[in-house]
Amino acid sequence: MTEPSPSKVRLVGVVFLVVLGMVFALAWALYTQSFRSTVTVSLQAGRVGLVMDTGNNVRLRGVEVGRVTAIEPTPQGAVLTLGLDPDQIGRIPADVIAEIVPTTAFGTKYVSLVEPPEPGPGRITEGAVLHNSAVTVELNDVFANLSRLLDSIDPAKVNATLGELARALDGRGDSIAALAAVTDGYLTDLSPKLPVLQRDLEALADVSQLYADVAPDLLRVLDNLTVTGRTVVDQADQLDAFLAGVTLLARTGDDVLRENHEGLVTALDVLRPTTDLLHEYEPGLTCFITGLDRTRQALEPGIGGASPEIRLNSTITLGQPPYENPRNLPKIGAANPPACHGLPFVDETERPTPQIRTDTGLDPHTGEVRPGRPPVAELLFGPLLTTEPSGGDS
């Protein structure tokens, strides 16, 4: 058997290396899912913390739905490129938010997609931009903060403080437990009232805003009150004199009312029928005065207007018989209700106005004129009283 030629051995070695490289490349491509299409979205975060690398998981409700394909630092933090599984897109709402959380205290981090309490109907799409809501604090941050704190304090003082605290708590475990139990009871009772407290705080914010809006007006009012108070102080003597006068007036009025209250009550009782009658005839009085004024305005042009002079029209009327008793005794027999008869505006349908009958015991139409009798003096002054001679010859 002949040995293979060196060139053939080299060729087989090269082919083996090529095949081995292709196997490794295929395994790497399968591991990184290079042959699988993804939906690319962006995640903007203020920071990503440590142990966040490309290839880390993207999870929804604990189920892997994609991977981190790229991390790019920015002045505001970092932008993560997420490659989501197209088969899982239908489960991810468009308004989803992201959190960067670790798998364990020291484990690698992953992106957790959190659905809102009431997700919208839309689904996430290619090119969407998500916003980070929280990044878990790493233990190294805690240790760094603790180290800075320990560097800034004196260990001796810390030791003394802890010693005093230990002595203060020594033997008081039961009291502390009872206090914790009471506090828990208070918190349990307070917990159902937290929504009411929240509403009260919101209302308090509105009230505070209202006070802030009216604060300039309140300050002006206080300034005015300051001026008023200063004026009262400056005029204290006049104010005292005024109050003394008011007090004296009150005492005098009290004396007058105390001495005359019965007379005032009697006067009011006596005035009641008169005021009731005036109240009853108030419509007639009002329209009579208004109509009288309108009549004055209508008659002014006929009697010379409002010039400073007096114009009189005089005539001679028949005399009336002299007063006789009991025929001419005064009598109040009117019983007419209040009426205006069209006043103050009387149209043609209301003319002449109806006659108002009043019974006063007088008859203005008792005079009698006959030719040749009576003489002029009787016409002017009424029948003259004559005395018949008591006796003698005629």
Side-chain angles (χ1 to χ4, degrees), residues 296-313:
R296 174 192 61 79
Q297 298 174 12
L299 292 178
E300 276 184 356
I303 62 175
S307 58
E309 60 188 34
I310 298 177
R311 300 183 183 185
L312 299 175
N313 291 327

Side-chain angles (χ1 to χ4, degrees), residues 37-370:
S37 62
T38 58
V39 176
T40 304
V41 299
S42 300
L43 171 60
Q44 296 181 351
R47 67 184 186 89
V48 295
L50 302 177
V51 292
M52 169 56 78
D53 299 314
T54 58
N56 288 10
N57 295 336
V58 178
R59 300 180 184 179
L60 175 67
R61 301 179 193 159
V63 178
E64 182 179 344
V65 294
R67 291 181 178 273
V68 178
T69 59
I71 302 175
E72 180 182 356
T74 63
Q76 292 76 26
V79 176
L80 283 69
T81 302
L82 310 180
L84 302 181
D85 189 351
D87 297 336
Q88 304 293 336
I89 291 299
R91 300 171 51 195
I92 306 175
D95 52 355
V96 71
I97 57 177
E99 296 179 353
I100 299 177
V101 295
T103 54
T104 61
F106 300 96
T108 60
K109 293 185 177 180
Y110 66 93
V111 178
S112 175
L113 301 181
V114 181
E115 295 179 343
E118 297 181 0
R123 302 289 97 178
I124 197 168
T125 58
E126 178 78 22
V129 179
L130 306 180
H131 296 278
N132 171 241
S133 63
V135 178
T136 304
V137 178
E138 296 91 352
L139 289 179
N140 63 301
D141 293 336
V142 177
F143 290 144
N145 295 331
L146 180 60
S147 176
R148 287 193 294 270
L149 176 63
L150 294 177
D151 290 339
S152 61
I153 61 176
D154 186 0
K157 294 181 179 179
V158 174
N159 183 37
T161 302
L162 294 178
E164 293 297 332
L165 181 62
R167 282 191 293 273
L169 297 178
D170 187 21
R172 293 179 172 83
D174 295 338
S175 300
I176 295 174
L179 177 62
V182 173
T183 304
D184 179 70
Y186 287 152
L187 295 177
T188 302
D189 296 338
L190 183 61
S191 179
K193 299 179 175 58
L194 289 179
V196 178
L197 179 60
Q198 182 178 4
R199 290 194 297 270
D200 292 343
L201 292 177
E202 293 175 355
L204 179 61
D206 296 337
V207 173
S208 301
Q209 183 62 41
L210 178 60
Y211 279 119
D213 295 338
V214 302
D217 297 331
L218 290 177
L219 292 177
R220 282 195 296 271
V221 171
L222 293 177
D223 291 339
N224 296 335
L225 288 177
T226 303
V227 175
T228 303
R230 189 179 300 112
T231 303
V232 171
V233 173
D234 295 340
Q235 303 295 329
D237 296 338
Q238 291 83 346
L239 183 60
D240 291 339
F242 170 74
L243 293 177
V246 171
T247 303
L248 180 61
L249 176 62
R251 291 174 180 173
T252 303
D254 181 68
D255 295 338
V256 171
L257 293 177
R258 185 181 299 108
E259 295 175 1
N260 300 280
H261 71 281
E262 295 182 357
L264 290 174
V265 173
T266 303
L268 292 176
D269 290 338
V270 172
L271 285 175
R272 183 183 296 275
T274 303
T275 54
D276 290 342
L277 183 62
L278 288 176
H279 178 70
E280 180 182 358
Y281 282 86
E282 180 270 337
L285 292 174
T286 302
C287 66
F288 169 73
I289 296 173
T290 306
L292 187 62
D293 181 65
R294 290 183 59 84
T295 303
R296 174 192 61 79
Q297 298 174 12
L299 292 178
E300 276 184 356
I303 62 175
S307 58
E309 60 188 34
I310 298 177
R311 300 183 183 185
L312 299 175
N313 291 327
S314 60
T315 184
I316 298 175
T317 60
L318 298 179
Q320 296 295 327
Y323 176 83
E324 295 182 8
N325 188 353
R327 182 174 66 86
N328 296 123
L329 287 176
K331 180 180 180 182
I332 301 177
N336 300 294
C340 286
H341 301 292
L343 288 177
F345 306 102
V346 181
D347 55 23
E348 296 297 332
T349 61
E350 297 176 329
R351 296 174 180 165
T353 57
Q355 180 181 3
I356 301 177
R357 297 184 178 276
T358 58
D359 187 2
T360 61
L362 296 178
D363 186 359
H365 304 292
T366 57
E368 180 181 1
V369 179
R370 289 178 294 177

